[in-house]
Amino acid sequence: MAGSSELSVAVTENISNYLQKLIASECVSKDIKAKFFDWGSDCAEQPKFISLELVKLLYKTANKHVSVAVSISGSDKVYLHQLLQGAVINLPCAIVEPRNVELEERIQRLKNQQANREYKVMTRNVDHGMRLAAENQNMSLDIETVQTQLITMFNFVLTVACAFLFGYKAVEYSLSTPHIPLQMFTGLNCAIIVAAADLYFLIKNLS
């Protein structure tokens, strides 16, 4: 049988008869007959397949020698379709070589990189929206913190000012004649006491 990598034809009775007549002909050289030796009548077991190259050689030899053509086909010319009539062509098997391991790793790495790029493109808008939402949320928290601090400072200043005004006016109303130094001293003492108390509670809340 012809090798799996060689295009071959199944030897039919028609081809076998053509081979027998070519080998028996005296017009064909011994070199050509030697190529068809396996299909001779003396061989007990003839190959079941013949290569396409030998079929072509049989075709050319038969047409080169008129006597051979006449003995084979009954006319002075042999046609290729006559030789291959009813024959089955055996196609060669494709030889699959193992793929290079480094090449496979490189292909897999490129596939992963491409998949990552496609994922980033698909999630770009989502990430952008989430980032904007996070920034807006942080900005809102910052604004609320600043507002809280401003309100606390305003309350602190207002409380201290009111305490000073209370001490100042309390002395003024308690005396028959105004006494500015005493009023200032009393107002400052009240303001300092209230300021210390406010700072105590602010520090306690922060901790």
Side-chain angles (χ1 to χ4, degrees):
M1 179 176 178
S4 59
S5 61
E6 185 180 6
L7 188 63
S8 59
V9 178
V11 178
T12 61
E13 184 178 354
N14 188 39
I15 294 177
S16 179
N17 292 333
Y18 286 179
L19 289 171
Q20 296 296 331
K21 292 176 181 179
L22 184 141
I23 295 172
S25 175
E26 297 180 355
C27 300
V28 180
S29 63
K30 293 182 179 180
D31 294 336
I32 294 178
K33 288 183 179 181
K35 295 180 180 181
F36 298 101
F37 177 78
D38 292 337
W39 289 274
S41 58
D42 297 336
C43 295
E45 185 177 355
Q46 298 180 356
K48 296 181 180 180
F49 289 86
I50 182 173
S51 67
L52 189 60
E53 294 297 326
L54 290 179
V55 173
K56 291 180 180 179
L57 180 60
L58 173 61
Y59 168 73
K60 292 179 181 179
T61 305
N63 287 312
K64 183 177 180 181
H65 304 283
V66 177
S67 60
V68 177
V70 171
S71 64
I72 289 177
S73 62
S75 64
D76 57 353
K77 188 171 182 62
V78 176
Y79 295 96
L80 186 59
H81 72 274
Q82 293 176 332
L83 289 174
L84 298 177
Q85 184 176 4
V88 177
I89 298 177
N90 181 37
L91 298 176
C93 298
I95 300 175
V96 181
E97 296 183 358
R99 302 186 70 173
N100 187 279
V101 178
E102 295 181 358
L103 179 61
E104 285 290 337
E105 292 177 353
R106 183 179 179 186
I107 292 174
Q108 189 63 36
R109 186 167 61 253
L110 291 175
K111 286 183 178 179
N112 293 336
Q113 292 175 356
Q114 181 64 25
N116 290 333
R117 282 194 292 268
E118 292 177 355
Y119 175 78
K120 289 180 180 178
V121 170
M122 289 188 295
T123 59
R124 180 172 54 193
N125 295 331
V126 178
D127 292 343
H128 183 65
M130 294 176 63
R131 187 164 54 252
L132 288 177
E135 291 177 355
N136 292 333
Q137 185 176 7
N138 292 334
M139 187 178 297
S140 299
L141 292 175
D142 293 339
I143 293 174
E144 290 179 1
T145 303
V146 172
Q147 288 178 346
T148 303
Q149 292 175 352
L150 289 176
I151 292 173
T152 303
M153 292 299 296
F154 178 76
N155 289 335
F156 175 79
V157 173
L158 182 62
T159 304
V160 173
C162 289
F164 173 79
L165 185 61
F166 171 79
Y168 184 86
K169 288 295 183 180
V171 174
E172 181 182 356
Y173 291 147
S174 64
L175 297 175
S176 58
T177 59
H179 193 284
I180 302 300
L182 182 60
Q183 291 175 226
M184 292 290 295
F185 178 75
T186 305
L188 287 174
N189 283 336
C190 291
I192 291 172
I193 293 172
V194 172
D198 278 353
L199 287 175
Y200 169 77
F201 287 110
L202 284 176
I203 294 172
K204 186 177 180 180
N205 290 332
L206 290 175
S207 60

